[in-house]
């Protein structure tokens, strides 16, 4: 479990946010009441998120204790002995704390389970955590389709068998078609997909960017979708 000092730190942050309501009440008259009324629901949502984040952090801390078999004090000393151990654990905790997505927290737990105790895996795990932290549900949906489904292609043009053109992704995901370019840019930035400057020809004759999932992307998806072998 996360130690009491960490819990108090989070509680303090929540108290600071709640204090914002007082700022509204300090303003006299209707304006103060209006500000207080507007802030209170936001503060309540912040509090909910803080509690969710703390529980996510506790889950990862519990995993770390379970995998290493160390007490909280022993684990802190062990993790502090190497910068890469510290980096992996604190990065995973930060990613979990800021996430509202359960499968991302589950994936981060799997990374810790598969890595803690094997220092040779730390460097890759740190990169994986950085990628997972940046993925939102839309990224994961697109990645899942690219891994599991046959590519949608609107022309007969040939390119890598498992590659998806932008036009095909727009057909597959019409609800957020306008956001696919930044979504793919995010996946490509982390090396999860590779475009390599490739482009097919769209049905309208324009350029149609093409992406395929990299080996690293498949590893990330495995962590997101289920248990990883030790």
């Amino acid at each position: 479990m996360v130690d009491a000092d960490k819990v108090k730190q989070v509680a303090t942050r929540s108290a600071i946010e709640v204090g914002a309501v007082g700022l509204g009440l300090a303003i006299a008259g209707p304006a103060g009441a209006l500000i207080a009324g507007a802030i209170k629901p936001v503060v309540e949502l912040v509090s909910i998120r803080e509690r969710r984040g703390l529980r996510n952090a506790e889950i990862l801390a519990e995993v770390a204790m379970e995998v290493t078999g160390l007490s909280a004090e022993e684990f802190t000393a062990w993790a502090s002995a190497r910068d890469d151990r510290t980096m992996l654990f604190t990065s995973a905790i930060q990613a979990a704390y800021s996430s509202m997505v359960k499968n991302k927290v589950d994936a981060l737990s799997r990374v810790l389970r598969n890595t803690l105790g094997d220092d040779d895996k730390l460097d890759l795990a740190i990169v994986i955590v950085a990628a997972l932290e940046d993925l939102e549900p839309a990224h994961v949906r697109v990645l899942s389709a690219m891994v599991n489904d046959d590519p949608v292609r609107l022309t007969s043009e040939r390119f890598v068998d498992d590659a998806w053109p932008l036009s095909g992704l727009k057909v597959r995901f019409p609800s957020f078609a306008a956001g696919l370019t930044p979504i793919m840019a995010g996946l490509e930035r982390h090396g999860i997909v590779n475009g390599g400057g490739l482009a097919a020809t769209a049905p309208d004759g324009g350029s149609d960017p093409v992406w395929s999932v990299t080996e690293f992307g498949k590893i990330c998806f495995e962590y997101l979708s289920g248990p990883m072998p030790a």
Side-chain angles (χ1 to χ4, degrees):
M1 297 289 288
V2 175
D3 63 43
D5 287 342
K6 296 297 184 183
V7 175
K8 289 178 182 178
Q9 290 174 18
V10 174
T12 299
R13 287 198 298 272
S14 295
I16 291 171
E17 297 292 340
V18 172
V21 176
L23 294 178
L25 295 176
I27 300 174
L34 178 63
I35 293 173
I39 291 176
K40 186 176 179 181
V42 175
V43 172
E44 290 173 349
L45 289 175
V46 169
S47 179
I48 290 171
R49 183 166 186 140
E50 290 275 6
R51 291 196 299 272
R52 175 77 65 85
L54 178 58
R55 179 53 189 152
N56 290 346
E58 289 176 347
I59 290 170
L60 263 65
E62 289 166 356
V63 168
M65 303 302 104
E66 176 187 335
V67 170
T68 62
L70 301 174
S71 68
E73 294 75 15
E74 291 169 336
F75 178 81
T76 299
W78 175 83
S80 300
R82 288 179 54 130
D83 288 346
D84 47 6
R85 293 174 184 169
T86 304
M87 176 66 76
L88 173 62
F89 183 67
T90 57
S91 296
I93 288 288
Q94 179 179 338
Y97 184 85
S98 62
S99 178
M100 296 289 285
V101 182
K102 182 180 183 299
N103 74 324
K104 184 189 293 189
V105 179
D106 291 342
L108 292 166
S109 297
R110 295 183 189 109
V111 174
L112 292 185
R113 288 185 184 280
N114 194 49
T115 306
L116 291 178
D118 188 344
D119 289 342
D120 290 339
K121 296 181 178 180
L122 289 173
D123 288 339
L124 177 59
I126 290 168
V127 179
I128 291 171
V129 167
L132 294 178
E133 181 176 15
D134 213 23
L135 298 186
E136 300 300 338
H139 294 102
V140 177
R141 287 180 63 190
V142 170
L143 179 59
S144 177
M146 293 181 71
V147 170
N148 293 317
D149 300 345
D150 292 331
V152 176
R153 296 175 181 174
L154 306 182
T155 69
S156 59
E157 189 170 1
R158 298 295 301 172
F159 40 88
V160 180
D161 286 345
D162 61 354
W164 281 72
L166 179 60
S167 59
L169 288 169
K170 287 181 175 180
V171 170
R172 177 66 176 78
F173 298 104
S175 62
F176 52 85
L180 279 166
T181 297
I183 287 170
M184 298 311 296
L187 291 172
E188 192 165 11
R189 180 172 64 253
H190 286 289
I192 293 173
V193 301
N194 179 36
L198 297 176
T201 303
D204 62 3
S207 178
D208 197 9
V210 175
W211 295 274
S212 57
V213 180
T214 64
E215 180 181 358
F216 177 74
K218 291 175 182 177
I219 292 172
C220 290
F221 181 70
E222 287 177 0
Y223 276 117
L224 286 163
S225 58
M228 286 286 289

